Amino acid sequence: MIAGALFYGVAVGAALGALVRLWRLRRATDRQAGIAYCLGLAALAATFTAMAPPTQRLVNQLIPDGGKVLGNALTLTAAFSGLVVTLYSQWPPELATPRVRRRLPWLVLVLVALITTFALPHSTRLTGSFDGLYSSHPELATYTVVYATYLGATLISQGRMFWIFARLAPFFFAVGLRLFVLADALGVLYAAAKLVVLGGHLLTRSTVTAGDTSGVCHQAFSSTSCAVAVGGPATVVIILIGAVFFCLLSVRLDGLAEWISDVRSYRRLTPLWIVVTAAHPEVLNRAAAAGLDTAAENIELRLTKRYVEIRDALLLLSPYRPSGGGDRHRPEEEAELILTALRAERSRQPLPDAQPGPVPGPNGGIERDREWLERVAIAFNRIAPEPTRTAERMTQSAA
Amino acid sequence: MKRRSSHSRLGLNCRAQVKELLRNVQLPNPWSMNTFIDQLETYRQREIDLCAFLWTPGSATGAWHPYATHDVIAYAENTTPAHQDHTIFHEVGHMLAGHTPRCVLSTTEAEGAAPHLRPAALNHLLAAESHALDEYEAELIATILLAQVAKIRPHGPLQRRVEAVFQ
């Protein structure tokens, strides 16, 4: 009952996911990839529905052991649809579609082979596991070889692509994609194990079935055969659920990680910001005069504003910087130079005759510049540990 | 309260303007201000000249002046590229909001500050004044745009497709 609930629960989740994706197709930039993903989730929903014990019992009543071939056929279809999703992710649609069309006949061929070998007359009544029947029923060995080989090859291709995708993705998204890789790897192991078990049975001409005398595994890992037949696939299912969960939530989780990082950066810049804006409060004046309530803005804007105010103030301080230094010197040196410039300005030293040089910083974008300023701010905090008091002292000494 | 609510409306307007701009002019990935300006020129059907000048104490860090057929944006060259981006975005903000700068420098004074520009391209450029509210509007637009640039991760087409499919 619990197993049935688990299978049907996953099926409902996959079906809901397919509906959500279908709804999002309206805004999708790549409709073919979006459709492939919908169909993949729908195939997953159908597979889990077919593999649920109550469904298996129902189908087996209509066709003896029909539940097995239905489940296997849908498993291969779901694996193929997963491969299609990776192809449409890897290639633009005009290059992905021919690749899908080249692979589709193989799936059709394999499904025909499964149904044919299953439908051939058997001297023994089939009851789920083919273990013990391979030596007396070579068509069942063919069935298993075709099924396991196609499943393994498809999962290898799929897993390879998910591995490449994961290397390009942000943290939580990469976790989800790597869980897909793990599920694929375990699926390949499962397929390989089926071939090994088959080979063992053929070599020894064994008639031992998996599970009890009826071929039913009452516990997922009660024997090697049951581990291969039931436990392994069940583990793959759980990992697949985790993979889909992480991928779906990764936008929020990576967004949360970015928010935390922004808050951390904002706090790290504070000591430097307090001192340089105390020296040049006019860089804050536009916001103050306009009554802008910066506390109400989101952290992205507040962090960007803080960065700009620091850079504005450092530019205004640049005439008092000692000459020398470039954008490659250490943050500690830069912090010392800023402190020297602040002191020179506050002590009302005359402006040097030379034109102000470039304000040091990395050549990259704002992220690199901000990271640089954070390192400078940390170093600055070490040499001027009480930034507000430092600012007040500088103001008083200037007065 | 009245002043605060007018700023709230202005803030909403700024966000709407940036949203409208980004619908028509995508931020290039990887980020390049020159590519962004090229796209902005195509969108506005007007050329935009970027003019770097050596900032000195007492002068503005950036300025914008519209001419009959093109716009000129000046920015301080003696600061980091990311800071320069903000300055340019600030002037783009004035441009988008349709502000009218008033020039307070003569052509001779302007040529002295940016001698490498041909005289015809530089006229009454530096130290143009704007209303304080205009400054707030332009500053907010610039901050929003720079915050968007900060979120750009160098993505190839493969990365973009994978995210579009799985997220």
Side-chain angles (χ1 to χ4, degrees), chain A residues 227-371:
Chain A
V228 172
V230 179
T235 308
V236 171
V237 163
I238 290 167
I239 293 170
L240 264 180
I241 293 168
V244 173
F245 174 78
F246 261 103
C247 284
L248 283 174
L249 287 187
S250 62
V251 175
R252 299 259 185 254
L253 291 172
D254 284 317
L256 177 64
E258 217 166 292
W259 182 86
I260 292 171
S261 171
D262 284 351
V263 169
R264 211 174 275 153
S265 295
Y266 187 81
R267 287 191 182 140
R268 280 200 194 119
L269 290 174
T270 298
L272 182 62
W273 176 81
I274 287 175
V275 176
V276 298
T277 54
H280 283 280
E282 65 271 30
V283 302
L284 303 172
N285 274 350
R286 279 183 290 202
L292 173 66
D293 180 4
T294 54
E297 298 292 350
N298 65 44
I299 188 62
E300 279 170 10
L301 288 186
R302 288 165 65 193
L303 177 58
T304 305
K305 198 162 187 351
R306 180 151 286 192
Y307 159 80
V308 170
E309 285 160 357
I310 291 173
R311 273 293 172 207
D312 284 344
L314 289 179
L315 184 62
L316 294 171
L317 276 172
S318 61
Y320 293 96
R321 287 176 63 91
S323 58
D327 60 355
R328 289 182 185 274
H329 63 205
R330 296 181 307 126
E332 294 78 14
E333 289 174 25
E334 175 64 15
E336 289 283 356
L337 289 171
I338 293 173
L339 199 55
T340 305
L342 284 164
R343 285 180 182 139
E345 190 184 42
R346 285 299 171 192
S347 62
R348 302 243 163 91
Q349 287 180 16
L351 266 175
D353 289 336
Q355 297 282 13
V359 178
N363 279 331
I366 179 175
E367 279 281 295
R368 280 196 64 195
D369 202 8
R370 229 166 44 199
E371 280 165 14

Side-chain angles (χ1 to χ4, degrees), chain A residues 90 168 289-290 297 312 369, chain B residues 3 7 15 80 83 159 161:
Chain A
Q90 185 188 4
L168 305 172
E297 298 292 350
D312 284 344
D369 202 8
Chain B
R3 187 183 187 199
H7 283 109
R15 282 167 175 78
T80 61
H83 193 207
Q159 244 171 314
R161 274 198 300 276

Side-chain angles (χ1 to χ4, degrees), chain A residues 169-233:
Chain A
F171 182 75
F172 287 103
F173 190 26
V175 168
L177 293 173
R178 287 196 174 107
L179 285 176
F180 274 119
V181 175
L182 181 60
D184 285 339
L186 290 177
V188 171
L189 217 61
Y190 158 76
K194 283 194 84 67
L195 294 175
V196 167
V197 167
L198 170 93
H201 277 262
L202 284 176
L203 281 173
T204 59
R205 304 186 79 80
S206 165
T207 55
V208 174
T209 58
D212 62 15
T213 50
S214 323
V216 175
C217 290
H218 293 283
Q219 285 184 357
F221 294 96
S222 55
S223 66
T224 308
S225 298
C226 283
V228 172
V230 179

Side-chain angles (χ1 to χ4, degrees), chain A residues 88-152:
Chain A
Y88 274 103
S89 302
Q90 185 188 4
W91 304 103
E94 61 274 12
L95 294 178
T97 303
R99 284 168 166 82
V100 171
R101 284 201 186 119
R102 273 203 298 273
R103 286 162 172 80
L104 187 57
W106 289 105
L107 173 69
V108 173
L109 208 65
V110 164
L111 292 178
V112 166
L114 287 188
I115 292 168
T116 306
T117 51
F118 177 79
L120 288 172
H122 313 288
S123 56
T124 310
R125 186 172 181 276
L126 300 178
T127 56
S129 172
F130 294 167
D131 290 0
L133 300 176
Y134 293 125
S135 48
S136 57
H137 295 76
E139 70 280 5
L140 298 180
T142 306
Y143 178 104
T144 302
V145 167
V146 166
Y147 171 74
T149 307
Y150 183 83
L151 181 65

Side-chain angles (χ1 to χ4, degrees), chain B residues 9 12 22 67 81 84 90 100 104 114 119 121-122 124 138 150 153 158:
Chain B
R9 269 200 305 277
L12 288 171
L22 295 182
Y67 291 91
Q84 289 169 359
H90 181 98
T100 310
V104 295
L122 180 61
H124 304 294
R153 298 286 174 264
L158 173 60

Side-chain angles (χ1 to χ4, degrees), chain A residues 2 18 26 31 65 77 92 115 118 126 161 197 236 285 346 376 379 387 395:
Chain A
I2 295 171
R26 300 172 304 145
R31 283 183 63 84
D65 216 24
T77 308
I115 292 168
F118 177 79
L126 300 178
M161 285 320 306
V197 167
V236 171
N285 274 350
R346 285 299 171 192
V376 170
T395 309

